Amino acid sequence: MAFASRVGLVVLAIVVFGVSATLQDGGTTVANVSRALGATDLKTIQYSGTGFTYAFAQSYRPDSAYPKFHATYSRVIDYDRGLAREEIVRTQFEDPPRGGGGQPLYTEARAAAVVNPNSAWGGGALALTPHGFVKAAANASPTIGSRRVGSRTLTVISFPVRNEYRVEGYVNDQNLIERIDTWTPNPILGDTLIQTTFGDYRMFGNLRFPTRIVQKQGGFPTLEVTITDVRPGAPVNLQAPPSVTPQPARAESQLVAPGVWYLSGSPEPNSQLVELRDYTVLIESSVSEARALANLAEARKLVPNKPVRYHLNTHHHGDHAAGVRAFVAEGVSIITHEMNRRFYEQAVLKNPHTLAPDALSRAPRPVTFVWVNDKYVLTDGSRTLEVYHVPNGHAANLLMSYVPQEKLLIITDIFNDFGEPRPNDPPPGLVSPYYAALGERVRQLKLDVQKIAPSHGRGLVPADMLWKALQGKVQA
C-alpha cells in the first residue's frame, strides 16, 4: 500500500474515532452537568435579586465603562417553550451623571422584554443561562475540550445555535457552569463577545442555582446581580411576542433653510444635511448601517450634482456611530472628535464583522478622518458650518454644529424635543445638567441661535425652548 494511502486511512480512522469519542464524551459530560444543576426535570423557574445594570454602548468616553445604575432584577423562564421574560428597574447611580442611558434618572426606569427562540441573539438568550445552556447542549452535538483559566483547567462544552452562533460553557470539577461565552454581531464593534459568569451556587430545593451573575459585552459589565429568590417550578404564563416584519430604513427630508434639510425617518436618531458650494455634509449616521445608507440616498437625491464629502459623527454612542462604517465604505470623510481616534481606528474599523458582514467588510477601503478638538470650520465663502466641542456629562467627545447664516444650531442628546412630557423629565423648577451644559456653551461662544435642530424628536424647534428650560419654566 502506498505511503499516502496508509496516511489517508490513519487520518480517516482518527477522524472517525475522534468524532465518536467526542459525541459519547459530550453526551456524558452534558448529562453530568445537568444532574449537578438539577436541570433534567426543570420546566420553569422564577428568580430575582438586586445589583447593577449598565447602559451598553453609552459610555462617557469611548475607552471607559458603560454608565452604571442601581437595579432590581427579575426573570421568569419556560424552558419547554423557550420563552423568558426579564424585567429590570433602574435608578440613578452615577453622581454626577456620566454617559447616556437616559441619564439623569429622576424616577424609576422600568424595562421588560420577552424573548423566544427566534428573538435577536444577545445577552438575554436562554442558552446563556446555566440550565438553559445544558438543555440546549443536550439537544445539540456538543464538542468537549479543556482550557486553562488562571491556575485551573476547566472543561469546555461548545455547540452551535441556529447554525450562526457558537456558545461555549466552562465547567468546573463539580460539574457546575462557571462561565458562558458567545459572540453577537454589532454594527460598531463587529463580532462582540458576550461573557456571563456564575458563582456562589446554592441549593433551592433540588436545584443548584448561582446567586452571583455578571455579564459583560465588549469587555465591560452590562449586568451584576446578586440573586436572593429562586423558585423552581414557579407558575409561568408567558406569551410569545407577536412577530414583527422588519421595516426598511427610511429618510424623509424637510427643508428648514435654503440648502439645509432635516432628515427624519426610522430608525432614530434623525440627521441633517448642509449644502455648500461644491459638496454636502451629512450630520449624524444613526443607529444602523441601513439608516446611514438611506440618509446618503436622500442626500444624493436632494443635491444630485454634489458629492457627500463629509459625515459629521457627533459622538461614539451606539445610536450615533453605527453608520460610520457605511460612510467609510462610500468614500465619505469622517469628522469626529480627537478622543475617538484610537477607538475608531483600532476597534470600529479593524474588528472582524463575520457574523453580519457589512459593506465595508465586503469591500474594504481606506478612510480619511478629520479630528476635531475644540473647533472646526467648513466654508465656501458664502455658507459656513462651524463645528464645536461641547463639554457635558453625556459624552465627553460630543460635537455640535452651527450654521451662522441661518442662526441654526444642530445638536443631539443633550437637547431633545419629543413634543410631550415624559416620565423621566426633570420636575418643574429643576434644570437638566445636560441642558445647562449646552446653554453655557452657546453663551460662551456667543452664538446667535434662533432655531435648533435636535437629532431626537419632532424636528426644528425655536431656541426659546432651550432658554425656557434653562429657567426651569418647562420640562426639559
Side-chain angles (χ1 to χ4, degrees):
M1 182 181 291
F3 177 75
S5 299
R6 291 198 303 271
V7 171
L9 288 174
V10 171
V11 170
L12 177 61
I14 291 172
V15 169
V16 170
F17 288 114
V19 169
S20 299
T22 298
L23 292 176
Q24 182 178 1
D25 292 346
T28 301
T29 301
V30 170
N32 290 339
V33 174
S34 184
R35 281 194 296 271
L37 291 173
T40 306
D41 298 321
L42 183 66
K43 304 295 184 183
T44 65
I45 193 171
Q46 177 180 343
Y47 57 96
S48 59
T50 60
F52 303 98
T53 186
Y54 301 76
F56 174 66
Q58 295 288 310
S59 57
Y60 180 57
R61 298 172 54 95
D63 57 355
S64 64
Y66 312 130
K68 185 176 185 178
F69 300 86
H70 292 290
T72 58
Y73 177 89
S74 63
R75 192 171 196 186
V76 293
I77 299 175
D78 183 333
Y79 291 107
D80 286 347
R81 299 175 63 205
L83 297 175
R85 184 179 190 273
E86 184 179 63
E87 182 173 353
I88 299 177
V89 181
R90 298 182 301 147
T91 55
Q92 186 69 30
F93 176 87
E94 308 277 359
D95 185 17
R98 287 288 181 266
Q103 294 189 83
L105 297 183
Y106 298 99
T107 60
E108 292 182 341
R110 294 178 175 269
V114 175
V115 299
N116 62 48
N118 298 316
S119 296
W121 185 252
L126 292 194
L128 305 186
T129 65
H131 303 79
F133 174 90
V134 75
K135 287 177 177 291
N139 293 317
S141 298
T143 59
I144 307 299
S146 62
R147 201 165 299 170
R148 294 287 292 181
V149 178
S151 61
R152 299 179 301 152
T153 298
L154 299 181
T155 299
V156 179
I157 303 173
S158 177
F159 59 92
V161 176
R162 303 186 199 169
N163 296 317
E164 295 180 78
Y165 310 106
R166 178 150 293 275
V167 184
E168 297 179 347
Y170 289 70
V171 180
N172 63 22
D173 56 6
Q174 296 176 300
N175 285 318
L176 299 178
I177 297 173
E178 291 192 2
R179 186 176 109 197
I180 299 175
D181 289 355
T182 191
W183 290 262
T184 188
N186 181 273
I188 301 174
L189 298 176
D191 301 346
T192 302
L193 174 65
I194 301 178
Q195 184 176 91
T196 313
T197 56
F198 308 95
D200 300 333
Y201 277 85
R202 289 176 48 203
M203 293 299 298
F204 296 87
N206 295 322
L207 183 79
R208 276 192 177 88
F209 199 85
T211 59
R212 177 69 175 166
I213 301 174
V214 176
Q215 188 168 88
K216 294 182 178 181
Q217 293 192 42
F220 295 109
T222 53
L223 182 70
E224 295 179 335
V225 292
T226 298
I227 301 300
T228 54
D229 184 49
V230 179
R231 302 181 185 183
V236 174
N237 182 21
L238 292 176
Q239 299 299 320
S243 58
V244 178
T245 302
Q247 298 299 310
R250 57 184 175 82
E252 301 170 351
S253 59
Q254 174 191 1
L255 185 69
V256 297
V260 182
W261 292 266
Y262 190 91
L263 304 184
S264 60
S266 178
E268 274 203 340
N270 300 314
S271 299
Q272 299 82 26
L273 179 69
V274 178
E275 179 185 7
L276 283 83
R277 182 178 58 205
D278 300 320
Y279 58 88
T280 61
V281 181
L282 254 173
I283 302 167
E284 287 298 352
S285 62
S286 199
V287 71
S288 68
E289 178 187 61
R291 176 65 198 270
L293 294 175
N295 289 340
L296 275 165
E298 184 69 9
R300 289 164 176 162
K301 182 178 75 174
L302 292 169
V303 191
N305 58 334
K306 298 179 184 180
V308 179
R309 182 175 297 175
Y310 297 103
H311 161 55
L312 174 58
N313 165 245
T314 59
H315 61 302
H316 68 290
H317 285 175
D319 53 336
H320 294 272
V324 166
R325 288 175 55 90
F327 283 96
V328 173
E330 293 285 325
V332 178
S333 298
I334 310 298
I335 302 173
T336 194
H337 197 276
E338 170 72 29
M339 190 182 297
N340 296 326
R341 183 189 292 266
R342 180 177 175 81
F343 178 62
Y344 283 17
E345 290 183 340
Q346 298 300 316
V348 176
L349 296 182
K350 291 186 178 181
N351 284 355
H353 286 247
T354 62
L355 292 172
D358 60 7
L360 187 60
S361 62
R362 292 190 295 267
R365 66 185 300 167
V367 57
T368 299
F369 281 108
V370 176
W371 304 109
V372 180
N373 281 305
D374 190 63
K375 178 181 179 180
Y376 184 75
V377 177
L378 294 168
T379 185
D380 60 8
S382 59
R383 165 163 284 151
T384 298
L385 179 65
E386 300 172 0
V387 180
Y388 295 100
H389 174 236
V390 190
N392 72 100
H394 179 77
N397 50 12
L398 188 68
L399 299 177
M400 67 180 185
S401 49
Y402 178 63
V403 185
Q405 291 85 355
E406 314 301 338
K407 300 182 179 180
L408 172 66
L409 181 71
I410 301 172
I411 187 64
T412 192
D413 283 2
I414 60 172
F415 177 83
N416 302 306
D417 171 40
F418 293 98
E420 58 185 10
R422 297 178 299 159
N424 193 48
D425 285 337
L430 190 63
V431 177
S432 163
Y434 294 170
Y435 278 55
L438 176 60
E440 174 62 25
R441 187 59 167 152
V442 170
R443 293 187 181 104
Q444 181 187 59
L445 295 170
K446 299 180 179 179
L447 303 181
D448 184 8
V449 177
Q450 299 298 317
K451 297 170 288 186
I452 301 177
S455 291
H456 289 289
R458 298 176 299 173
L460 198 67
V461 298
D464 192 50
M465 284 190 62
L466 173 61
W467 310 134
K468 285 184 178 179
L470 293 176
Q471 297 171 18
K473 293 183 178 180
V474 295
Q475 292 185 350

